[in-house]
Amino acid sequence: EKFARTAITKKTRLVFGVFGEQVTGVNVFFEGTAIGTTTDLDGRFALDIPADIKDQKLITSYIGYEPQEFTLPAGDDLA
């Protein structure tokens, strides 16, 4: 009997502002889901990404900045 992969993988990334500085408090989430987080004091974040998230848009938003969209291909690492 085969089982669908349901493992969750932890991914991390550093968010930089316009001048290359780390940005604290950036909202990071997958469009259309409740999966999201915010960056820490060093601009880093971690997301638990279900195996069924494929070609989903990753959105970053922060006060005073335009939201940015990124497509994360299946199996891609954010690091």
Side-chain angles (χ1 to χ4, degrees):
E1 187 174 348
K2 291 185 178 183
F3 295 94
R5 183 176 158 238
T6 58
I8 296 176
T9 305
K10 192 166 210 169
K11 308 283 186 170
T12 61
R13 179 72 176 200
L14 186 60
V15 175
F16 293 98
V18 175
F19 300 105
E21 76 282 8
Q22 293 116 349
V23 183
T24 302
V26 175
N27 296 307
V28 181
F29 58 94
F30 283 103
E31 184 177 59
T33 73
I35 301 169
T37 190
T38 57
T39 58
D40 66 12
L41 294 173
D42 296 319
R44 295 185 183 278
F45 69 90
L47 281 173
D48 291 329
I49 306 171
D52 63 347
I53 294 288
K54 297 177 183 174
D55 298 324
Q56 190 75 27
K57 285 184 182 176
L58 186 68
I59 310 293
T60 60
S61 66
Y62 188 72
I63 296 172
Y65 288 85
E66 290 290 324
Q68 299 292 311
E69 296 182 1
F70 305 91
T71 299
L72 180 66
D76 195 12
D77 194 342
L78 295 175

Coordinates of all heavy atoms in Angstrom, one line a residue:
E1 N 0.8 -1.2 0.0 CA 0.0 0.0 0.0 C 0.9 1.2 0.0 O 1.8 1.4 0.8 CB -0.9 0.0 1.3 CG -1.9 1.0 1.3 CD -2.9 0.9 2.5 OE1 -2.8 -0.2 3.1 OE2 -3.6 1.8 2.7
K2 N 0.6 2.2 -0.9 CA 1.4 3.4 -1.0 C 0.7 4.5 -0.2 O -0.5 4.6 -0.1 CB 1.5 3.9 -2.4 CG 2.4 2.9 -3.2 CD 2.6 3.5 -4.6 CE 3.5 2.6 -5.4 NZ 3.8 3.1 -6.7
F3 N 1.5 5.4 0.4 CA 1.0 6.5 1.2 C 1.5 7.8 0.6 O 2.6 7.9 0.1 CB 1.5 6.4 2.6 CG 1.0 5.3 3.4 CD1 1.7 4.1 3.5 CD2 -0.2 5.3 4.0 CE1 1.2 3.0 4.2 CE2 -0.7 4.2 4.7 CZ 0.0 3.1 4.8
A4 N 0.7 8.8 0.6 CA 1.1 10.1 0.1 C 2.1 10.8 1.1 O 1.9 10.6 2.3 CB -0.2 11.0 0.0
R5 N 3.0 11.5 0.6 CA 4.0 12.2 1.4 C 3.3 13.3 2.1 O 2.8 14.2 1.5 CB 5.1 12.7 0.6 CG 6.2 13.3 1.4 CD 7.4 13.7 0.5 NE 8.1 14.8 1.3 CZ 8.3 16.0 0.8 NH1 7.9 16.3 -0.4 NH2 8.9 16.8 1.6
T6 N 3.3 13.2 3.5 CA 2.7 14.3 4.2 C 3.7 15.0 5.2 O 3.3 15.8 6.0 CB 1.5 13.8 5.1 OG1 2.0 12.7 5.9 CG2 0.4 13.2 4.2
A7 N 5.0 14.7 5.0 CA 6.0 15.3 5.9 C 6.0 16.8 5.7 O 5.7 17.3 4.6 CB 7.3 14.7 5.5
I8 N 6.4 17.4 6.8 CA 6.6 18.9 6.8 C 8.0 19.2 6.9 O 8.7 18.6 7.7 CB 5.8 19.5 7.9 CG1 4.3 19.2 7.7 CG2 6.0 21.0 8.0 CD1 3.4 19.7 8.8
T9 N 8.5 20.1 6.0 CA 9.9 20.5 6.0 C 10.1 21.9 6.5 O 9.3 22.8 6.0 CB 10.5 20.3 4.6 OG1 10.2 19.0 4.1 CG2 12.0 20.6 4.6
K10 N 11.0 22.1 7.4 CA 11.2 23.5 7.9 C 12.2 24.2 6.9 O 13.2 23.6 6.6 CB 11.8 23.4 9.3 CG 11.8 24.7 10.0 CD 12.0 24.6 11.4 CE 11.3 25.7 12.2 NZ 11.2 25.5 13.6
K11 N 11.9 25.4 6.5 CA 12.7 26.2 5.6 C 13.0 27.5 6.2 O 12.2 28.0 7.0 CB 12.0 26.4 4.3 CG 11.4 25.2 3.6 CD 12.5 24.4 2.9 CE 11.9 23.2 2.2 NZ 12.8 22.6 1.3
T12 N 14.1 28.1 5.9 CA 14.4 29.4 6.4 C 15.0 30.3 5.3 O 15.4 29.9 4.3 CB 15.5 29.4 7.6 OG1 16.7 28.8 7.0 CG2 15.0 28.6 8.7
R13 N 14.9 31.6 5.6 CA 15.3 32.6 4.6 C 15.6 33.9 5.3 O 14.9 34.2 6.4 CB 14.2 32.8 3.6 CG 14.5 33.8 2.5 CD 15.6 33.3 1.5 NE 15.7 34.3 0.5 CZ 16.3 34.0 -0.7 NH1 16.6 32.8 -0.9 NH2 16.5 34.9 -1.6
L14 N 16.5 34.7 4.8 CA 16.8 36.0 5.4 C 16.1 37.1 4.4 O 16.3 37.0 3.2 CB 18.3 36.2 5.4 CG 18.8 37.5 6.1 CD1 18.4 37.5 7.5 CD2 20.3 37.5 6.0
V15 N 15.4 38.0 5.0 CA 14.7 39.1 4.2 C 15.5 40.4 4.3 O 15.9 40.8 5.4 CB 13.3 39.3 4.7 CG1 12.6 40.5 4.0 CG2 12.5 38.1 4.5
F16 N 15.8 41.0 3.1 CA 16.6 42.2 3.1 C 15.7 43.4 2.6 O 14.9 43.2 1.7 CB 17.8 42.1 2.1 CG 18.8 41.1 2.7 CD1 18.9 39.8 2.2 CD2 19.8 41.5 3.6 CE1 19.8 38.9 2.7 CE2 20.7 40.6 4.1 CZ 20.8 39.3 3.6
G17 N 16.0 44.6 3.1 CA 15.3 45.7 2.6 C 16.0 46.4 1.4 O 16.9 45.8 0.9
V18 N 15.5 47.5 1.0 CA 16.0 48.2 -0.2 C 17.5 48.5 -0.1 O 18.2 48.4 -1.1 CB 15.2 49.6 -0.3 CG1 15.8 50.4 -1.4 CG2 13.8 49.3 -0.5
F19 N 18.0 48.8 1.1 CA 19.4 49.1 1.3 C 20.3 47.9 1.8 O 21.4 48.1 2.2 CB 19.6 50.3 2.2 CG 18.9 51.5 1.7 CD1 17.7 52.0 2.3 CD2 19.4 52.2 0.6 CE1 17.0 53.1 1.8 CE2 18.7 53.4 0.1 CZ 17.5 53.8 0.7
G20 N 19.7 46.7 1.7 CA 20.5 45.5 2.0 C 20.4 45.2 3.5 O 21.1 44.3 4.0
E21 N 19.6 45.9 4.3 CA 19.5 45.7 5.7 C 18.5 44.6 6.0 O 17.6 44.4 5.2 CB 19.2 46.9 6.5 CG 17.7 47.3 6.4 CD 17.3 48.0 5.1 OE1 18.1 48.1 4.2 OE2 16.1 48.5 5.1
Q22 N 18.7 43.8 7.1 CA 17.7 42.8 7.5 C 16.5 43.6 8.0 O 16.6 44.6 8.6 CB 18.3 41.9 8.6 CG 19.4 41.0 8.1 CD 20.7 41.3 8.8 OE1 20.8 42.3 9.5 NE2 21.7 40.5 8.6
V23 N 15.3 43.0 7.7 CA 14.1 43.7 8.0 C 13.3 42.8 9.0 O 13.0 41.6 8.8 CB 13.2 43.9 6.8 CG1 11.9 44.7 7.1 CG2 14.0 44.7 5.7
T24 N 13.0 43.4 10.2 CA 12.2 42.8 11.2 C 10.7 43.0 11.0 O 10.3 44.1 10.6 CB 12.6 43.4 12.6 OG1 14.0 43.2 12.8 CG2 11.9 42.7 13.7
G25 N 9.9 41.9 11.3 CA 8.4 42.1 11.3 C 7.8 42.0 9.9 O 6.7 42.4 9.7
V26 N 8.5 41.5 8.9 CA 7.9 41.3 7.6 C 6.9 40.1 7.6 O 7.3 39.1 8.2 CB 9.0 41.0 6.5 CG1 8.4 40.7 5.1 CG2 10.0 42.2 6.4
N27 N 5.7 40.3 7.1 CA 4.8 39.2 7.0 C 5.1 38.3 5.8 O 5.4 38.8 4.7 CB 3.3 39.7 6.8 CG 2.9 40.5 8.0 OD1 2.9 40.0 9.1 ND2 2.5 41.8 7.8
V28 N 5.2 37.0 6.0 CA 5.6 36.1 5.0 C 4.5 35.0 5.0 O 4.3 34.4 6.1 CB 7.0 35.4 5.3 CG1 7.3 34.5 4.2 CG2 8.0 36.5 5.4
F29 N 3.8 34.8 3.9 CA 2.8 33.8 3.9 C 2.5 33.2 2.5 O 2.9 33.8 1.5 CB 1.5 34.4 4.4 CG 1.0 35.6 3.7 CD1 0.1 35.4 2.6 CD2 1.5 36.8 4.0 CE1 -0.4 36.5 1.9 CE2 1.0 37.9 3.3 CZ 0.1 37.8 2.2
F30 N 1.9 32.1 2.4 CA 1.5 31.5 1.1 C 0.1 32.0 0.8 O -0.8 31.9 1.6 CB 1.5 29.9 1.2 CG 2.9 29.4 1.1 CD1 3.6 28.9 2.2 CD2 3.6 29.3 -0.1 CE1 4.8 28.4 2.2 CE2 4.9 28.8 -0.2 CZ 5.5 28.4 0.9
E31 N 0.0 32.5 -0.4 CA -1.2 33.1 -0.9 C -2.4 32.1 -0.8 O -2.2 30.9 -1.2 CB -1.1 33.6 -2.4 CG -2.3 34.2 -3.0 CD -2.0 34.7 -4.4 OE1 -1.7 33.9 -5.2 OE2 -2.1 35.9 -4.6
G32 N -3.5 32.5 -0.3 CA -4.7 31.7 -0.2 C -4.6 30.6 0.9 O -5.5 29.7 0.9
T33 N -3.6 30.7 1.8 CA -3.6 29.7 2.9 C -3.4 30.4 4.2 O -3.3 31.7 4.2 CB -2.3 28.8 2.7 OG1 -1.1 29.6 3.0 CG2 -2.2 28.2 1.3
A34 N -3.5 29.7 5.3 CA -3.2 30.2 6.6 C -1.8 30.0 7.0 O -1.4 30.1 8.2 CB -4.2 29.6 7.6
I35 N -0.9 29.5 6.1 CA 0.5 29.2 6.4 C 1.3 30.5 6.3 O 1.4 31.1 5.2 CB 1.0 28.2 5.4 CG1 0.2 26.9 5.6 CG2 2.5 27.9 5.7 CD1 0.5 25.9 4.5
G36 N 1.8 31.0 7.4 CA 2.6 32.2 7.4 C 3.3 32.5 8.7 O 3.1 31.8 9.7
T37 N 4.1 33.5 8.7 CA 4.9 33.9 9.8 C 5.4 35.3 9.7 O 5.0 36.0 8.7 CB 6.1 32.9 10.1 OG1 6.6 33.2 11.3 CG2 7.1 33.0 9.0
T38 N 6.2 35.8 10.6 CA 6.9 37.1 10.4 C 8.4 36.9 10.7 O 8.8 35.9 11.3 CB 6.3 38.1 11.4 OG1 6.5 37.6 12.7 CG2 4.9 38.5 11.2
T39 N 9.2 37.8 10.1 CA 10.6 37.7 10.3 C 11.0 38.2 11.7 O 10.3 39.0 12.3 CB 11.3 38.6 9.3 OG1 10.9 40.0 9.4 CG2 11.1 38.1 7.9
D40 N 12.1 37.6 12.2 CA 12.6 37.9 13.5 C 13.5 39.1 13.5 O 13.6 39.8 12.5 CB 13.3 36.7 14.2 CG 14.6 36.3 13.5 OD1 15.1 37.1 12.6 OD2 15.1 35.2 13.8
L41 N 14.1 39.4 14.6 CA 15.0 40.6 14.7 C 16.1 40.6 13.7 O 16.7 41.7 13.4 CB 15.6 40.7 16.1 CG 14.6 41.0 17.3 CD1 15.2 40.9 18.6 CD2 13.9 42.3 17.1
D42 N 16.5 39.4 13.2 CA 17.6 39.3 12.3 C 17.1 39.2 10.8 O 17.9 39.0 9.9 CB 18.5 38.1 12.6 CG 19.2 38.3 13.9 OD1 19.7 39.4 14.2 OD2 19.3 37.3 14.7
G43 N 15.8 39.4 10.6 CA 15.2 39.3 9.3 C 15.0 37.9 8.8 O 14.8 37.6 7.6
R44 N 15.1 36.9 9.7 CA 15.0 35.5 9.4 C 13.6 35.0 9.7 O 12.9 35.5 10.6 CB 16.0 34.6 10.1 CG 17.4 34.9 9.8 CD 18.4 33.9 10.4 NE 19.7 34.2 10.2 CZ 20.4 33.9 9.1 NH1 19.8 33.2 8.1 NH2 21.6 34.2 8.9
F45 N 13.2 34.0 8.9 CA 11.9 33.3 9.2 C 12.0 31.9 8.9 O 12.9 31.4 8.2 CB 10.7 34.0 8.4 CG 10.8 33.7 6.9 CD1 10.1 32.6 6.4 CD2 11.4 34.6 6.1 CE1 10.2 32.3 5.0 CE2 11.5 34.3 4.7 CZ 10.8 33.2 4.2
A46 N 11.1 31.1 9.5 CA 11.0 29.7 9.2 C 9.5 29.4 9.0 O 8.6 29.9 9.6 CB 11.5 28.9 10.4
L47 N 9.3 28.5 8.0 CA 7.9 28.1 7.7 C 7.9 26.5 7.6 O 8.8 25.9 7.1 CB 7.5 28.6 6.3 CG 7.1 30.0 6.2 CD1 6.9 30.3 4.7 CD2 5.8 30.3 6.9
D48 N 6.8 26.0 8.2 CA 6.6 24.6 8.0 C 5.7 24.4 6.8 O 4.6 24.9 6.8 CB 5.8 24.0 9.3 CG 6.8 24.0 10.5 OD1 8.0 23.8 10.3 OD2 6.3 24.1 11.6
I49 N 6.2 23.8 5.8 CA 5.6 23.7 4.5 C 5.1 22.3 4.2 O 5.9 21.4 4.0 CB 6.5 24.2 3.3 CG1 7.1 25.6 3.7 CG2 5.8 24.2 2.0 CD1 8.2 26.0 2.8
P50 N 3.8 22.1 4.1 CA 3.2 20.8 3.8 C 3.7 20.3 2.4 O 3.9 21.1 1.5 CB 1.7 21.0 3.8 CG 1.5 22.2 4.6 CD 2.7 23.1 4.4
A51 N 3.9 19.0 2.3 CA 4.3 18.5 1.0 C 3.4 18.8 -0.2 O 3.9 18.8 -1.3 CB 4.5 17.0 1.1
D52 N 2.2 19.1 0.1 CA 1.2 19.4 -1.0 C 1.3 20.8 -1.5 O 0.5 21.1 -2.5 CB -0.2 19.0 -0.6 CG -0.8 19.8 0.5 OD1 0.0 20.5 1.2 OD2 -2.0 19.7 0.8
I53 N 2.1 21.6 -0.9 CA 2.3 23.0 -1.5 C 3.2 22.9 -2.7 O 4.3 22.6 -2.6 CB 2.9 23.9 -0.4 CG1 2.0 24.1 0.8 CG2 3.3 25.3 -1.0 CD1 0.8 25.0 0.5
K54 N 2.6 23.2 -3.8 CA 3.4 23.2 -5.1 C 3.1 24.4 -5.9 O 2.0 24.8 -6.1 CB 3.0 21.9 -5.9 CG 3.3 20.6 -5.2 CD 2.8 19.5 -6.0 CE 3.0 18.2 -5.3 NZ 2.5 17.0 -5.9
D55 N 4.2 25.0 -6.4 CA 4.1 26.2 -7.3 C 3.1 27.2 -6.6 O 2.4 27.9 -7.3 CB 3.6 25.8 -8.7 CG 4.6 24.9 -9.4 OD1 5.8 25.1 -9.2 OD2 4.1 24.0 -10.1
Q56 N 3.2 27.4 -5.3 CA 2.4 28.3 -4.6 C 3.1 29.7 -4.5 O 4.4 29.7 -4.3 CB 2.2 27.8 -3.2 CG 1.1 28.5 -2.4 CD -0.3 28.2 -2.8 OE1 -0.5 27.2 -3.4 NE2 -1.1 29.2 -2.6
K57 N 2.4 30.8 -4.5 CA 3.0 32.1 -4.4 C 3.3 32.4 -2.9 O 2.4 32.3 -2.1 CB 2.1 33.2 -4.9 CG 2.0 33.2 -6.4 CD 1.2 34.3 -6.9 CE 1.1 34.3 -8.4 NZ 0.2 35.4 -8.9
L58 N 4.6 32.7 -2.7 CA 5.0 33.2 -1.4 C 4.9 34.7 -1.4 O 5.5 35.3 -2.2 CB 6.4 32.7 -1.1 CG 6.9 33.0 0.3 CD1 6.2 32.1 1.4 CD2 8.4 32.7 0.4
I59 N 4.2 35.3 -0.4 CA 4.0 36.7 -0.4 C 4.8 37.3 0.8 O 4.7 36.8 1.9 CB 2.5 37.1 -0.2 CG1 1.6 36.4 -1.3 CG2 2.3 38.6 -0.3 CD1 1.8 36.7 -2.7
T60 N 5.5 38.4 0.6 CA 6.1 39.2 1.7 C 5.4 40.6 1.7 O 5.2 41.2 0.6 CB 7.6 39.3 1.5 OG1 7.9 40.0 0.3 CG2 8.3 38.0 1.6
S61 N 5.1 41.0 2.9 CA 4.5 42.4 3.0 C 5.0 43.1 4.2 O 5.3 42.4 5.2 CB 2.9 42.3 3.0 OG 2.5 41.7 4.1
Y62 N 5.1 44.4 4.1 CA 5.7 45.2 5.2 C 5.2 46.6 5.0 O 5.0 47.1 3.9 CB 7.2 45.1 5.1 CG 7.9 45.8 6.3 CD1 7.9 45.1 7.6 CD2 8.6 47.0 6.2 CE1 8.5 45.7 8.7 CE2 9.2 47.5 7.3 CZ 9.2 46.9 8.5 OH 9.8 47.4 9.6
I63 N 4.9 47.3 6.1 CA 4.4 48.6 6.1 C 5.4 49.5 5.4 O 6.6 49.5 5.6 CB 4.1 49.2 7.5 CG1 3.0 48.4 8.2 CG2 3.7 50.7 7.5 CD1 2.8 48.7 9.6
G64 N 4.9 50.3 4.4 CA 5.7 51.2 3.6 C 6.4 50.6 2.4 O 7.1 51.3 1.6
Y65 N 6.2 49.3 2.2 CA 6.8 48.6 1.0 C 5.7 48.0 0.2 O 4.6 47.6 0.8 CB 7.7 47.5 1.5 CG 9.0 47.9 2.0 CD1 9.1 48.3 3.4 CD2 10.2 48.0 1.3 CE1 10.3 48.7 3.9 CE2 11.4 48.4 1.8 CZ 11.5 48.7 3.1 OH 12.6 49.1 3.7
E66 N 5.9 47.8 -1.1 CA 4.9 47.1 -1.9 C 5.1 45.6 -1.6 O 6.2 45.1 -1.5 CB 5.2 47.3 -3.4 CG 4.9 48.7 -3.9 CD 3.4 49.0 -4.0 OE1 2.7 48.1 -4.3 OE2 3.0 50.2 -3.6
P67 N 4.0 44.9 -1.6 CA 4.1 43.4 -1.4 C 4.8 42.8 -2.5 O 4.8 43.3 -3.7 CB 2.6 42.9 -1.4 CG 1.8 44.2 -1.1 CD 2.6 45.3 -1.6
Q68 N 5.6 41.8 -2.2 CA 6.4 41.0 -3.2 C 5.9 39.6 -3.3 O 5.5 39.0 -2.3 CB 7.9 41.0 -2.8 CG 8.5 42.4 -2.7 CD 8.6 43.1 -4.1 OE1 9.1 42.5 -5.0 NE2 8.1 44.3 -4.1
E69 N 5.8 39.1 -4.5 CA 5.4 37.7 -4.7 C 6.5 36.9 -5.3 O 7.2 37.3 -6.2 CB 4.2 37.7 -5.7 CG 2.9 38.3 -5.2 CD 1.8 38.2 -6.2 OE1 2.0 37.6 -7.3 OE2 0.7 38.8 -5.9
F70 N 6.6 35.7 -4.8 CA 7.6 34.7 -5.3 C 6.9 33.4 -5.5 O 6.1 33.0 -4.7 CB 8.8 34.6 -4.3 CG 9.4 35.9 -3.9 CD1 9.0 36.6 -2.8 CD2 10.5 36.4 -4.6 CE1 9.5 37.8 -2.5 CE2 11.1 37.6 -4.3 CZ 10.6 38.3 -3.2
T71 N 7.3 32.7 -6.6 CA 6.7 31.3 -6.8 C 7.8 30.4 -6.3 O 9.0 30.4 -6.7 CB 6.4 31.1 -8.3 OG1 5.4 32.0 -8.7 CG2 5.9 29.7 -8.4
L72 N 7.4 29.5 -5.4 CA 8.3 28.5 -4.8 C 8.0 27.1 -5.5 O 6.9 26.5 -5.2 CB 8.1 28.4 -3.3 CG 9.0 27.4 -2.6 CD1 10.4 27.8 -2.7 CD2 8.5 27.2 -1.2
P73 N 8.8 26.7 -6.4 CA 8.6 25.4 -7.1 C 8.6 24.3 -6.1 O 9.2 24.4 -5.0 CB 9.7 25.2 -8.1 CG 10.3 26.6 -8.2 CD 10.0 27.3 -6.9
A74 N 7.9 23.2 -6.3 CA 7.8 22.0 -5.4 C 9.2 21.5 -5.1 O 10.1 21.4 -6.0 CB 7.0 20.9 -6.1
G75 N 9.5 21.3 -3.8 CA 10.8 20.8 -3.4 C 11.9 21.8 -3.3 O 13.0 21.5 -3.0
D76 N 11.6 23.1 -3.7 CA 12.7 24.1 -3.7 C 12.9 24.5 -2.2 O 12.1 24.5 -1.4 CB 12.2 25.3 -4.4 CG 13.3 26.3 -4.8 OD1 14.5 25.9 -4.6 OD2 13.0 27.4 -5.2
D77 N 14.2 24.9 -1.9 CA 14.6 25.3 -0.6 C 14.6 26.8 -0.6 O 15.0 27.4 -1.5 CB 16.0 24.7 -0.3 CG 16.3 24.8 1.2 OD1 15.7 25.6 1.9 OD2 17.3 24.1 1.6
L78 N 14.1 27.4 0.5 CA 14.1 28.8 0.7 C 15.5 29.3 1.1 O 15.7 30.5 1.0 CB 13.1 29.2 1.7 CG 11.6 28.9 1.4 CD1 10.8 29.3 2.7 CD2 11.2 29.7 0.2
A79 N 16.3 28.5 1.5 CA 17.6 29.0 2.1 C 18.6 29.4 1.0 O 18.5 29.0 -0.2 CB 18.3 27.9 2.9

